[in-house]
């Protein structure tokens, strides 16, 4: 029991979110280096897969068999056991990216200091904010020309509606970047670009009132500027409030340079102190305590194997309570069946390993013979825990998909349904139309290619796909009858596979027009976590 408690207490499970190129891979790599999990920079795999061209993606996926290269990394740091969840970007961006955030207890948001908030940061932030999880901001690339730090904070506060608390403050940037001032310890961490990230940096203890020493270190002009800025920060910024941090209302902000190893250690130390061990999760209306001895987990991602020879899928589960033991019998709540999870795996740094045990906070991947759906619960036998489902996220790209050969109607319908059930695509129907014509919505365009490839290879059907101009989707709330709505040609009424009514729009503007024309209409950006209909 003592062992269970201490194992769970030392776990931290977080996701890194960013817009491509902000430095997520570099920062991840540095975390692993500091944790001693890898010896060389350049061994984190996510990067190549992020950067490959669309055309060689299939080949790559086929070679890899099952792609779990950059899904979860586990490493140790100062006695903590850290589970780091990767959120794929570039062409790999998909609904999975959002779902991964459901498995995290906090998020680290990496921002390029020259660019500020970018579109993908915005989308991922929204999903984190939905659950009020703590968000830590790392403003990266201070060794390059950067925007004014006050501007960057202002942007975060205005756009995201949260408070910010700079834990440290940059002294210059680009060529004249001198380091950061640690507000808590009131000392300077000086930047010496000569080592270029090859060693750890130790701060230089200087009191902010030690004018002579500061002048020596950063120069008189910078010292004066720093003192003014620190005064402004202390007077005008939010006060530090750990409770607000833990509820996602105040984001601690760190400045640094991942490439140069600068600011990583202080970040990790503060971050690990401020985040909590795995938090209770809601199941059937009550909170499940992570320290509860009984094992429970939910499926947040299903990765289909692109290799035709192996139809298996891998289901990723986040453990919410207790301890998982290999070979033990567990219960799949939705399937109402007991079973043993075969070949449970975990990512240790960049290697995939079969594991014997895992604890609340950990992520495990298990082979799925086709029984799991996104959001399913697996738990100790005799328990009937059912975790809240995972919301359906709004797709942003739409196509009309039709089967080419009318003789294959059954295979087409089966394939489309199965792939949709896995959560790789969302399918919609025009009311009163047949099943041979489906509107497919995806979060990332690569999913269309995956769909075409899989329908052909796994179900033997050819598709005709015509892109549609819609970009936004909203679920209609309440019992509004869509037939009574005033809709313009920019808006289309469709239904999902459960028969729920939705509207798809060509632009944000179109949403506003519909709202103006139909004042009683209530729309929602996410589909609620409702029980799946079997
Ligand atoms: P991502 O995963 O968020 O997409 O970003 P990634 O870490 O791949 O970083 C994107 C680019 O930014 C890389 O350069 C990386 O070296 C650079 N970078 C990351 N952190 C810093 C930093 O603190 N300062 C500076 N100056 N650059 C940084 P690249 O040229 O695209 O790749 P590479 O040739 O260096 O591998």
């Amino acid at each position: 029991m003592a062992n269970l408690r201490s194992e769970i207490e030392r776990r931290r499970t977080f996701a890194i979110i960013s817009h491509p190129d902000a430095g997520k891979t570099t920062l991840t790599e540095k975390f692993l280096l500091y944790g001693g999990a890898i010896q060389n920079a350049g061994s984190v795999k996510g990067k190549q897969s992020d950067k490959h061209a669309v055309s060689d993606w299939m080949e790559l996926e086929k070679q890899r068999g099952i792609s779990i290269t950059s899904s979860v990394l586990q490493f140790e740091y100062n006695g903590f056991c850290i589970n780091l969840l990767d959120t794929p970007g570039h062409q790999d961006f998909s609904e999975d990216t959002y779902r991964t955030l459901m498995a995290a207890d906090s998020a680290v948001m990496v921002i390029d200091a020259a660019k500020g908030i970018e579109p993908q940061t915005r989308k991922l932030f929204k999903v984190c904010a939905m659950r009020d999880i703590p968000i830590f901001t790392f403003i990266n690339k201070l060794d390059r020309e950067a925007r004014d730090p006050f501007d960057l904070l202002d942007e975060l506060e205005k756009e995201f509606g949260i408070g910010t608390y700079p834990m440290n403050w940059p002294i210059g940037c680009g060529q004249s970047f001198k380091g950061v001032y640690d507000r808590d310890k009131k000392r300077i961490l000086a930047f010496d670009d000569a080592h270029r990230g090859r060693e750890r940096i130790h701060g230089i203890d200087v009191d902010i009132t030690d004018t002579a020493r500061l002048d020596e270190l950063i120069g008189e002009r910078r010292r004066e500027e720093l003192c003014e800025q620190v005064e402004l920060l202390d007077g005008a910024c939010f006060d530090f409030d750990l409770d607000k941090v833990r509820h996602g209302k105040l984001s601690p902000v760190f400045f640094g340079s991942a490439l140069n190893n600068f600011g990583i250690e202080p970040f990790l130390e503060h971050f690990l102190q401020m985040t909590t061990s795995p938090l209770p999760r809601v199941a059937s209306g009550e909170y499940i305590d992570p320290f509860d001895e009984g094992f429970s987990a939910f499926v947040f991602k299903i990765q289909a194997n692109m290799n035709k020879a192996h139809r298996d899928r891998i289901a990723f589960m986040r453990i919410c309570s207790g301890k998982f033991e290999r070979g033990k019998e567990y219960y799949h709540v939705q399937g109402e069946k007991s079973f043993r999870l075969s070949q449970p795996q975990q990512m240790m740094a960049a290697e995939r390993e079969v594991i014997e045990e895992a604890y609340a906070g950990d992520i495990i991947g298990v082979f799925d013979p086709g029984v799991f759906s996104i959001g399913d619960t697996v738990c100790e036998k005799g328990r009937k825990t059912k975790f809240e489902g995972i919301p359906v996220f709004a797709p942003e790209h739409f196509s009309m998909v039709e089967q080419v050969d009318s003789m294959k109607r059954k295979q087409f319908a089966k394939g489309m349904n199965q792939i949709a059930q896995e959560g790789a695509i969302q399918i919609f129907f025009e009311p009163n139309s047949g099943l041979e014509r489906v509107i497919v919505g995806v979060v990332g365009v690569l999913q269309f290619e995956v769909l075409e490839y899989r329908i052909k290879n796994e179900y033997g059907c050819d598709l005709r796909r015509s892109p549609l101009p819609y970009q936004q989707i909203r679920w209609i709330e309440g019992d509004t009858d869509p037939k009574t709505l005033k809709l313009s040609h920019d808006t289309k009424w469709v239904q999902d596979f459960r028969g729920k009514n939705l509207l798809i729009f060509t632009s944000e503007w179109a949403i506003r027009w519909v709202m103006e024309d139909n004042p009683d209409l209530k729309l929602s950006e996410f589909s609620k976590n409702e029980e799946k209909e079997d």
Side-chain angles (χ1 to χ4, degrees):
M1 233 347 245
N3 179 43
L4 178 84
R5 176 157 284 277
S6 62
E7 279 299 336
I8 297 174
E9 253 165 11
R10 70 189 197 93
R11 272 159 165 80
R12 298 289 181 277
T13 305
F14 70 96
I16 304 200
I17 61 174
S18 78
H19 190 82
D21 274 351
K24 181 168 60 93
T25 313
T26 313
L27 189 65
T28 305
E29 204 162 77
K30 298 303 162 95
F31 285 166
L32 295 181
L33 271 174
Y34 275 64
I38 55 169
Q39 263 64 51
N40 304 304
S43 29
V44 175
K45 293 193 183 159
K47 196 161 176 181
Q48 284 114 12
S49 55
D50 271 0
K51 290 200 171 157
H52 60 245
V54 176
S55 56
D56 50 54
W57 186 82
M58 295 297 177
E59 263 330 295
L60 222 123
E61 202 61 38
K62 273 193 274 177
Q63 282 163 18
R64 286 197 296 213
I66 293 164
S67 151
I68 59 165
T69 41
S70 57
S71 299
V72 191
L73 300 165
Q74 190 183 64
F75 64 97
E76 300 270 331
Y77 181 83
N78 277 359
F80 288 95
C81 174
I82 301 178
N83 290 303
L84 191 159
L85 292 148
D86 188 25
T87 52
H90 292 271
Q91 304 98 327
D92 293 346
F93 192 80
S94 69
E95 206 176 341
D96 266 350
T97 310
Y98 293 143
R99 291 191 195 114
T100 298
L101 294 176
M102 297 294 129
D105 293 321
S106 62
V108 173
M109 174 163 72
V110 187
I111 285 184
D112 183 330
K115 298 187 176 146
I117 300 174
E118 295 177 88
Q120 195 166 300
T121 338
R122 212 169 267 129
K123 289 181 196 169
L124 294 167
F125 176 89
K126 259 193 193 173
V127 176
C128 295
M130 206 171 78
R131 287 177 50 227
D132 294 329
I133 58 173
I135 297 177
F136 295 80
T137 308
F138 188 86
I139 301 191
N140 192 27
K141 305 196 188 182
L142 263 296
D143 59 314
R144 291 215 184 136
E145 284 313 308
R147 283 175 48 189
D148 179 74
F150 282 108
D151 266 6
L152 289 166
L153 297 186
D154 206 43
E155 185 174 82
L156 286 170
E157 290 175 7
K158 289 212 172 100
E159 274 222 33
F160 292 158
I162 48 164
T164 59
Y165 185 88
M167 301 296 297
N168 60 23
W169 194 252
I171 308 167
C173 66
Q175 294 282 330
S176 58
F177 181 49
K178 298 288 183 205
V180 290
Y181 167 68
D182 183 323
R183 291 182 68 199
D184 178 37
K185 297 187 177 131
K186 300 204 185 321
R187 63 180 206 154
I188 303 264
L189 186 65
F191 176 62
D192 165 18
D193 71 351
H195 67 79
R196 283 269 150 213
R198 278 192 290 272
E199 51 193 65
R200 289 183 177 204
I201 305 169
H202 297 288
I204 300 178
D205 266 304
V206 191
D207 194 288
I208 190 98
T209 55
D210 187 349
T211 312
R213 181 80 176 101
L214 274 181
D215 283 355
E216 205 183 300
L217 266 178
I218 61 174
E220 189 182 344
R221 195 176 60 81
R222 291 258 167 238
R223 190 253 310 152
E224 281 173 2
E225 196 179 73
L226 175 67
C227 289
E228 269 170 34
Q229 292 181 338
V230 167
E231 212 171 298
L232 201 66
L233 280 177
D234 292 343
C237 280
F238 287 88
D239 290 331
F240 184 77
D241 180 337
L242 188 58
D243 196 50
K244 283 192 179 153
V245 171
R246 292 196 170 152
H247 290 91
K249 302 293 175 232
L250 184 73
S251 178
V253 178
F254 300 79
F255 292 85
S257 167
L259 190 64
N260 293 292
N261 275 10
F262 191 79
I264 313 288
E265 216 164 355
F267 174 83
L268 273 175
E269 270 155 28
H270 284 289
F271 170 75
L272 292 169
Q273 268 169 25
M274 285 186 236
T275 47
T276 57
S277 51
L279 292 170
R281 299 267 177 159
V282 179
S284 317
E286 34 171 303
Y287 282 99
I288 302 293
D289 183 357
F291 298 102
D292 188 332
E293 262 184 89
F295 166 82
S296 68
F298 70 87
V299 177
F300 66 94
K301 171 172 164 164
I302 292 174
Q303 181 98 45
N305 192 342
M306 300 301 293
N307 187 337
K308 204 180 167 189
H310 307 277
R311 284 269 187 96
D312 298 328
R313 312 187 295 179
I314 280 201
F316 288 90
M317 296 180 195
R318 147 88 199 216
I319 304 180
C320 298
S321 66
K323 176 181 174 182
F324 165 81
E325 286 165 82
R326 184 180 169 195
K328 193 169 163 182
E329 240 187 14
Y330 292 108
Y331 183 66
H332 175 211
V333 178
Q334 280 77 2
E336 297 178 1
K337 275 204 180 90
S338 293
F339 67 107
R340 281 176 224 283
L341 296 172
S342 65
Q343 299 287 311
Q345 308 178 354
Q346 206 166 35
M347 294 290 290
M348 273 292 178
E351 302 300 325
R352 194 164 22 140
E353 278 187 2
V354 172
I355 49 148
E356 296 299 327
E357 55 182 42
Y359 295 87
D362 289 344
I363 311 295
I364 52 172
V366 299
F367 281 108
D368 167 24
V371 297
F372 295 119
S373 293
I374 303 275
D376 282 4
T377 301
V378 173
C379 61
E380 204 82 18
K381 273 173 80 179
R383 266 176 92 137
K384 286 266 155 72
T385 310
K386 208 175 203 179
F387 286 104
E388 275 191 351
I390 288 182
V392 174
F393 297 97
E396 293 170 24
H397 307 276
F398 296 86
S399 279
M400 180 66 79
V401 172
E402 290 163 278
Q403 69 192 63
V404 174
D405 180 355
S406 57
M407 300 298 286
K408 296 202 166 157
R409 189 192 292 172
K410 259 196 183 154
Q411 288 96 312
F412 174 79
K414 183 171 169 213
M416 293 299 281
N417 277 320
Q418 281 189 346
I419 296 171
Q421 198 199 355
E422 246 169 51
I425 55 165
Q426 290 181 42
I427 51 178
F428 306 102
F429 306 94
E430 291 167 288
N432 311 318
S433 79
L435 285 179
E436 57 283 347
R437 234 166 90 95
V438 182
I439 293 175
V440 174
V442 295
V443 170
V445 280
L446 186 66
Q447 296 311 111
F448 285 133
E449 282 189 41
V450 174
L451 173 70
E452 277 169 38
Y453 180 89
R454 293 191 54 195
I455 287 281
K456 187 164 177 59
N457 284 276
E458 292 175 25
Y459 302 93
C461 303
D462 284 314
L463 300 181
R464 191 179 304 117
R465 180 169 78 82
S466 345
L468 295 171
Y470 305 101
Q471 292 179 353
Q472 310 270 347
I473 190 164
R474 294 289 183 274
W475 278 263
I476 297 178
E477 293 198 342
D479 44 19
T480 307
D481 178 359
K483 286 196 217 83
T484 62
L485 295 174
K486 259 171 74 184
L487 302 178
S488 71
H489 64 279
D490 305 309
T491 304
K492 192 176 182 64
W493 164 36
V494 294
Q495 290 176 324
D496 66 14
F497 68 100
R498 294 182 189 128
K500 284 171 103 182
N501 292 307
L502 306 102
L503 296 177
I504 51 179
F505 308 87
T506 53
S507 66
E508 280 279 348
W509 286 109
I511 303 180
R512 268 175 246 166
W513 290 325
V514 167
M515 296 303 283
E516 274 167 29
D517 287 345
N518 304 276
D520 293 332
L521 179 64
K522 289 221 166 48
L523 298 174
S524 152
E525 213 171 318
F526 308 102
S527 170
K528 297 274 159 54
N529 307 319
E530 276 166 76
E531 292 277 284
K532 266 192 297 291
E533 283 153 36
D534 300 318

